[in-house]
């Protein structure tokens, strides 16, 4: 028995990749646990929490108006993780709906520290602090763009920048 191929069509206009949003100075990003995220015991493999946190940070910057891609492509600079401290508290499992909460806790001339908490409902699954350094294209630390420092400062003060 042969099956006819489905005709090509455009996706629905309201279909978009997952994105987060700010409530006050806190960014919330949704994540669902897929089979590929789990290990043989059926729980999320520890390194995948770092992936969730990275996606949330990238989305946070994009939603805040920080154009990492434009800066990178323009040869101006790029962020790189300089330090990570993570605590694993509870396991997440296949099909869990998680939320990654991110908020700026410290701003330096060339760095930004973001505290991130991976939640399943009211339960903390994982949390940690990530410090990113702003680097030249050659990999040397440099001052962050002033407008970006201003955005981080507003977020650290809990300001709602969503509007």
């Amino acid at each position: 028995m042969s099956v006819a191929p489905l005709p090509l069509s455009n996706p629905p206009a309201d279909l978009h990749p997952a994105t987060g949003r700010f409530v006050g100075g806190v960014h919330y990003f949704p994540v669902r646990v897929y089979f590929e995220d789990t290990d043989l015991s059926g729980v999320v493999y520890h390194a995948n929490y770092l992936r969730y946190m990275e996606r949330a940070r990238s989305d946070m910057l994009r939603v805040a108006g920080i154009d990492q891609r434009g800066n990178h492509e323009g040869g101006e600079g790029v962020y790189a993780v300089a330090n990570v401290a993570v605590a694993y508290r509870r396991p997440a499992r296949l099909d869990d709906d998680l939320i990654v909460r991110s908020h700026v806790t410290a701003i330096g001339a060339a760095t930004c520290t973001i505290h991130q908490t991976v939640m399943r409902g009211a339960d903390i699954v994982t949390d940690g602090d990530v410090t990113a350094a702003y680097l030249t294209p050659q990999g040397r630390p440099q001052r962050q763009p002033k407008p970006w420092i201003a955005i981080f400062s507003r977020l650290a003060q809990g300001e709602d920048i969503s509007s």
Side-chain angles (χ1 to χ4, degrees):
M1 173 170 94
S2 82
V3 177
L6 293 174
L8 293 177
S9 62
N10 291 327
D14 62 345
L15 189 62
H16 301 286
T19 190
R21 69 173 191 234
F22 283 98
V23 176
V26 179
H27 180 263
Y28 294 85
F29 184 77
V31 174
R32 172 159 295 130
V33 176
Y34 295 107
F35 184 77
E36 68 180 345
D37 298 325
T38 62
D39 61 18
L40 292 174
S41 66
V43 300
V44 171
Y45 180 67
H46 72 279
N48 287 328
Y49 294 104
L50 294 173
R51 289 175 182 255
Y52 301 157
M53 293 163 76
E54 176 67 35
R55 289 179 197 151
R57 281 192 316 280
S58 293
D59 189 73
M60 176 181 145
L61 297 182
R62 184 186 57 76
V63 172
I66 293 174
D67 185 7
Q68 292 187 95
R69 181 177 174 173
N71 259 40
H72 176 67
E73 290 176 353
E76 296 174 44
V78 64
Y79 282 108
V81 172
N83 189 48
V84 177
V86 178
Y88 300 97
R89 305 194 185 279
R90 291 183 169 83
R93 300 185 192 293
L94 180 65
D95 284 333
D96 279 354
D97 289 324
L98 307 175
I99 296 291
V100 182
R101 288 188 327 199
S102 306
H103 70 275
V104 175
T105 57
I107 308 147
T111 62
C112 180
T113 300
I114 300 170
H115 182 78
Q116 296 187 275
T117 307
V118 180
M119 309 285 298
R120 182 183 47 243
D123 292 333
I124 296 175
V125 175
T126 304
D127 68 331
D129 293 294
V130 178
T131 300
Y134 190 67
L135 307 176
T136 66
Q138 295 74 34
R140 294 183 173 231
Q142 69 173 333
R143 290 187 174 276
Q144 301 175 82
K146 286 183 181 180
W148 293 8
I149 290 175
I151 290 169
F152 291 141
S153 296
R154 291 173 59 200
L155 292 172
Q157 295 171 16
E159 189 174 326
D160 189 347
I161 65 168
S162 59
S163 50

